[in-house]
Amino acid sequence: MSNIIIDARLLKAYDALNEIGRFTGRDEEFIENLWSEFSQNEDLMSEFIYYLDNHCFCDKAKCKGYGMTDIYFYLMRCYEVGQDIGKNYKDCDKEALSLECFMMMAKMIKDPEPYIKKLQKGLGMDYMP
């Protein structure tokens, strides 16, 4: 008989991702894709567990010098411009934005150049969300 060791933190993280995903209106495919990314990248998984515990990013997961906070502020600015308000109002769903940050970081790790261009270039005058 072999021993199976299960890390309870991972089970809790998976449950939390499902709960946050449903709360923010993400479909099952998004949630499963994001979990797959976490499962393939230990730094991203650690970042997510830290986020669950502290409700902020620890910024250990990096890609070409960019961290989760950099992505968060970029996406926040995209939201603000898309809403044409320029301010972080209470109707901005921070949980949804955080999930998008994790997904963007996962994609950026796999193919950094398009995302680095976005982060360096900014939104520009003709930005459309």
Side-chain angles (χ1 to χ4, degrees), residues 57-73:
F57 303 116
C58 66
D59 264 341
K60 282 188 177 179
K62 300 277 188 190
C63 181
K64 304 282 187 176
Y66 290 97
M68 295 295 295
T69 302
D70 299 310
I71 294 171
Y72 184 86
F73 281 105

Side-chain angles (χ1 to χ4, degrees), residues 15-61:
D15 288 343
L17 176 59
N18 276 284
E19 186 177 326
I20 295 168
R22 284 191 306 274
F23 175 77
T24 60
R26 297 301 179 268
D27 61 22
E28 191 171 329
E29 182 180 6
F30 178 91
I31 294 167
E32 291 302 319
N33 286 341
L34 189 52
W35 183 254
S36 176
E37 296 296 338
F38 290 155
S39 299
Q40 295 172 36
N41 187 307
E42 189 175 321
D43 288 341
L44 209 52
M45 178 68 82
S46 295
E47 187 81 43
F48 183 65
I49 291 171
Y50 183 90
Y51 174 79
L52 294 174
D53 290 341
N54 300 284
H55 214 66
C56 63
F57 303 116
C58 66
D59 264 341
K60 282 188 177 179

Side-chain angles (χ1 to χ4, degrees), residues 79 85 87-94:
Y79 171 81
I85 54 179
K87 297 192 188 254
N88 180 6
Y89 284 107
K90 64 183 176 186
D91 68 336
C92 176
D93 187 344
K94 311 297 186 298

